[in-house]
Amino acid sequence: MRETMWSVELADDYNDDTFNGTYEECVEYCKNMEYSIGNDCRLAKILVENGCVIETLEIVDEIE
């Protein structure tokens, strides 16, 4: 089964999925961890199948 979710990726190499959840959960996680989206991390909308990321659908480097 395929599903989409959001991921917090840290700015060092953007290869990690530090936290996964809804967009709102990822934004809240960044606030709680004091990560600045666009400086310390970015958000990635990902397509997941059987627990594996198969595609990145969207990248968010800043929020308003």
Side-chain angles (χ1 to χ4, degrees):
M1 181 172 122
R2 290 183 176 189
E3 64 180 319
T4 58
M5 63 177 50
W6 285 87
S7 174
V8 176
E9 300 178 336
L10 298 181
D12 56 348
D13 62 8
Y14 297 121
N15 283 331
D16 61 344
D17 294 313
T18 303
F19 178 85
N20 295 326
T22 66
Y23 180 85
E24 292 80 12
E25 289 170 335
C26 288
V27 170
E28 186 65 25
Y29 174 83
C30 291
K31 287 179 184 177
N32 290 339
M33 298 302 293
E34 299 182 2
Y35 293 147
S36 171
I37 298 170
N39 292 317
D40 302 314
C41 64
R42 68 182 184 185
L43 304 182
K45 185 176 185 180
I46 54 177
L47 181 62
V48 178
E49 184 173 26
N50 298 325
C52 296
V53 177
I54 58 173
E55 186 176 354
T56 300
L57 304 172
E58 183 179 346
I59 297 291
V60 174
D61 286 322
E62 62 181 324
I63 58 172
E64 297 177 12

